[in-house]
Amino acid sequence: MADNPGISFERISHPSPTDADSRAQALTNPGFGTLFSDHMVSIDWDEAHGWHNATLGPRVPLTLDPACAVLHYAQEIFEGLKAYKQEDGGIALFRPEANAARFNSSARRLAMPELPEDVFVESVRQLVNIDREWIPLVEGGSLYLRPFMFASEAFLGVRPAKKYKYLVIASPAGNYFKSGAPAVSIWVSRDYTRAARGGTGAAKCGGNYAASLVPQAEAIQRGHDQAVFLDGAENKWIEELGGMNLFFVFDDGRMVTPPLTGTILPGITRDSLITLAREEGLDVHEERYSLEQWRDDAGSGKLVETFACGTAAVVTPVGKVAGHDGEFVIGSGGPGQLTQKLRQKLVGIQRGTVEDRHGWVTKLR
Ligand code: PLP
Ligand code: COI
């Protein structure tokens, strides 16, 4: 990664940044996604200039033409990563280059221009650097970073837009799940799927999340925390949750996670945990696993743990699974041993208390 990427950010000073007392007050209980830092990054793209007009300035509302293409055809992609305060007081990002690569893979699927990976990483660094006081120091706290890009051309024809905006905003975050329960309960969506072969399931585009809202609301309405999606072809194979990948742990040291066949998001947490689990001596397989088998294995005790993982949710144990034809409990219904061990290892690397043997951590200069 170049230290001095070929784009420089114009700094626009903030006329009235949040005062330290109000910020400290806001950071005592950040929750997820409701609180935002003072600044944002913005870069424009058009056919004539490529990426240009890079700024780091105050976080302000956008003015959009009512014909702005994203408002009509949803040509939008995003990423999610976190900045962590480390034990030694420094600040670190976890695998930002992996987010940059996935951003470009999403861009290709949505017919959008790619952003050079070093510009993506630099944009995130710049924002974290200026808003470093917004990292909450509460247990599990971090600064959640949301880089995103949308079609900004005013045009109603259905074709890739000729103008785009890339922005990065930052949101102080605590726990993703409000309940603070030891394990989450998930609802098997029968009437809705998240992705189909040839669709956009492997891209991180806003439309995927819009499609997940009704099944997710159904899960909540039935008293569960999250919906789990099955494959779109056979309605049989477990895919993922609306914003998290899944792992299954067996009593014989095997661990299974659904394969990346194009319909699920290739999670960076997923990839990291595969590596960490193999280091722990687990026999990890990326292979299909059916709902039926899940129920049988949970019943026989062969399946001992299930957990969900992602940047926002970190590693979250799944305690109960419910569907139209009944429910089943996994293990004791609480967090399993391996789930906790992997979580501690991952969080330790992110926080600088466990050795980073894979070069995953980028410290801020
Ligand atoms: N699956 C979906 C649909 C997601 O939105 C996310 C979150 O980004 C994940 C999985 C986990 O990905 P990651 O670990 O890169 O955050
Ligand atoms: C993330 O973990 O970064 C996600 O994107 C999940 C959700 C907040 C969309």
Side-chain angles (χ1 to χ4, degrees):
M1 190 206 326
D3 263 335
N4 296 305
I7 193 160
S8 60
F9 291 81
E10 185 198 341
R11 185 89 163 253
I12 302 166
S13 67
H14 198 304
S16 54
T18 309
D19 65 81
D21 284 350
S22 313
R23 187 176 56 228
Q25 177 62 33
L27 292 182
T28 54
N29 185 16
F32 184 85
T34 52
L35 189 62
F36 302 97
S37 72
D38 281 331
H39 295 87
M40 70 181 192
V41 161
S42 170
I43 317 180
D44 296 325
W45 187 94
D46 66 29
E47 283 190 328
H49 306 94
W51 290 106
H52 65 288
N53 195 22
T55 60
L56 172 67
R59 197 182 75 89
V60 287
L62 306 174
T63 304
L64 298 179
D65 191 289
C68 184
V70 69
L71 302 178
H72 303 272
Y73 309 125
Q75 204 187 359
E76 189 268 356
I77 59 170
F78 67 95
E79 269 303 327
L81 68 164
K82 285 175 171 173
Y84 305 88
K85 192 93 180 201
Q86 295 211 305
E87 282 275 297
D88 64 2
I91 295 170
L93 296 167
F94 185 71
R95 305 188 68 183
E97 58 294 329
N99 292 93
R102 188 171 66 188
F103 192 67
N104 281 338
S105 136
S106 299
R108 288 190 294 274
R109 180 62 185 87
L110 274 283
M112 299 168 100
E114 293 184 40
L115 180 71
E117 287 184 20
D118 57 354
V119 176
F120 178 101
V121 175
E122 183 61 19
S123 69
V124 167
R125 291 176 86 126
Q126 294 255 351
L127 183 59
V128 175
N129 202 29
I130 200 165
D131 280 339
R132 53 174 63 214
E133 299 300 329
W134 284 92
I135 303 180
L137 300 179
V138 295
E139 168 82 29
S142 62
L143 188 62
Y144 181 79
L145 300 153
R146 173 53 63 86
F148 62 107
M149 174 180 14
F150 64 90
S152 55
E153 184 188 2
F155 180 67
L156 294 183
V158 181
R159 58 137 171 83
K162 294 186 174 170
K163 284 170 90 174
Y164 296 88
K165 247 186 194 311
Y166 166 79
L167 301 169
V168 192
I169 54 173
S171 176
N175 284 329
Y176 185 70
F177 290 104
K178 259 203 256 44
S179 68
V184 295
S185 162
I186 61 183
W187 168 254
V188 184
S189 180
R190 184 192 62 185
D191 301 333
Y192 305 97
T193 58
R194 179 186 170 276
R197 195 172 70 84
T200 57
K204 207 158 165 60
C205 59
N208 288 345
Y209 299 79
S212 76
L213 298 178
V214 165
Q216 176 61 22
E218 182 183 71
I220 302 283
Q221 193 241 325
R222 288 175 180 270
H224 305 283
D225 300 295
Q226 285 281 308
V228 58
F229 294 99
L230 302 179
D231 75 288
E234 297 178 70
N235 228 248
K236 171 174 178 176
W237 307 103
I238 301 153
E239 297 231 300
E240 61 176 328
L241 311 187
M244 285 154 246
N245 295 116
L246 280 172
F247 279 89
F248 307 93
V249 183
F250 299 89
D251 62 355
D252 60 357
R254 261 180 343 112
M255 188 159 120
V256 166
T257 191
L260 302 179
T261 54
T263 52
I264 68 171
L265 194 80
I268 294 158
T269 317
R270 173 190 180 280
D271 183 73
S272 309
L273 291 171
I274 290 175
T275 299
L276 296 181
R278 286 189 176 141
E279 280 174 7
E280 290 293 321
L282 276 112
D283 181 20
V284 187
H285 297 263
E286 295 178 66
E287 65 188 29
R288 296 197 299 182
Y289 190 56
S290 70
L291 172 61
E292 209 182 328
Q293 196 70 47
W294 193 12
R295 185 187 295 110
D296 288 354
D297 291 345
S300 71
K302 216 169 130 188
L303 174 96
V304 286
E305 301 177 37
T306 297
F307 62 85
C309 67
T311 298
V314 197
V315 173
T316 298
V318 174
K320 194 165 82 178
V321 183
H324 284 280
D325 44 8
E327 60 182 56
F328 56 95
V329 172
I330 293 162
S332 60
Q337 261 179 18
L338 188 81
T339 303
Q340 294 186 72
K341 192 167 186 181
L342 288 175
R343 183 189 164 97
Q344 275 165 13
K345 213 167 162 187
L346 177 73
V347 169
I349 295 169
Q350 292 165 339
R351 308 268 166 191
T353 57
V354 170
E355 190 194 352
D356 171 26
R357 292 170 49 192
H358 304 282
W360 285 341
V361 169
T362 294
K363 298 203 181 196
L364 251 62
R365 44 174 187 264

